[in-house]
Amino acid sequence: MLLRLAYLGVTNALALLRLLPMSGRDKDAEILALRRQIMVRERQLGGGGVRFNPADWAWLAALLHPLPRTLLHQLRLLVRPETVLHWHRELIARRHARQSQPRRAGRPRTLRPIRTLVLRLARENSGWGYRRIHGELLVLGVKVAASTVWEILHDVGVDPAPERTNSTWATFLRSQAQGLIAADFFETVTLTGARLYVLAVIEHATRRVRILGATPHPNAAWVTQTARNLFMDLEDTGCQVKYLTRDRDGKYPALFDTILADAGIEVMLTGVRMPRMNSIMERWIQSCRHELLDRMLIWNQAHLLYALREYEHHHNQTARTEASPTPGPCEHYPTQ
């Protein structure tokens, strides 16, 4: 595709050099002739579509992007806005799939010394389940997921019996829903190819969403300031939050957890490559993509924030309508 773009650039540059010595009258005549040929081509197609390759789409987008909207409606083109939106979604999806594809399938292998240590703890302490062993490993400075410990024991036929007496993650989320919120980053790409990162928070009890901000560079200072803004927003609305669930993304600095801890909010980290532990937040992000980001072209950061605020207001109003008539302590929705 890059070679095709380079070829199109050279050919169009040569065409531009050919147009320089022409007078304005000659250019107008050529434009009218081209418009007439397009009309003849549309009449011959009989309503059928014209196939363009990705290089042609990229070149057309670069040419038409600087033009004002009023002029774009006056041009005779062989494409429709829905076609441009579909191609843009496919291009971004292929790019994201190529960049996010792991080098090897599955989760990373557990080191042999860690497997040996897990089996030794299980053999010397028959009353310990996999969660107790996982806690002892964390004390020793060995960072593995509890599910990894369960798999190691299961592969050798050791029954993690104490697991039956522990509450599941879903049970914990349901019991703590009134004081539980979840946060996550998600990204989108503008029409010019710029990547923007959005930080959002959702309340488990009311499903109320807060868009904390969007930025092309989620550095430690920006993320820390969003934590302060979240704390002040929760304090103003009187929402009593005890826990915040997030993943292990490197965009979260250590000061992010410190600020929330000072406010009395305990940060709970999800497991490694376990998005189901933050399923409510992941489900809302999927809805935001399907209902908003995949259906419109984002121009810049200001346009993205405006669209997200409108979608946030729509989602919160819908959640309020579907909720019970008696609002909870965190159900403070803005009025129009």
Side-chain angles (χ1 to χ4, degrees), residues 35 67-77 81:
R35 291 171 62 91
L67 299 179
R69 186 181 296 268
T70 55
L71 183 58
L72 288 176
H73 288 291
Q74 298 176 2
L75 297 179
R76 295 193 61 87
L77 301 174

Side-chain angles (χ1 to χ4, degrees), residues 158-172:
V158 177
D159 184 18
E163 187 270 340
R164 293 192 298 267
T165 61
N166 292 310
S167 61
T168 62
W169 181 257
T171 303
F172 171 78

Side-chain angles (χ1 to χ4, degrees), residues 206-226:
T206 62
R207 298 299 194 269
R208 184 178 188 272
V209 174
R210 290 181 173 88
I211 303 297
L212 301 184
T215 179
H217 306 290
N219 51 32
W222 185 86
V223 179
T224 303
Q225 185 60 41
T226 58

Side-chain angles (χ1 to χ4, degrees), residues 241-256:
V241 177
K242 298 180 180 179
Y243 303 99
L244 181 140
T245 306
R246 68 171 180 86
D247 55 18
R248 302 171 184 267
D249 198 332
K251 301 182 186 67
Y252 296 101
L255 190 57
F256 181 87

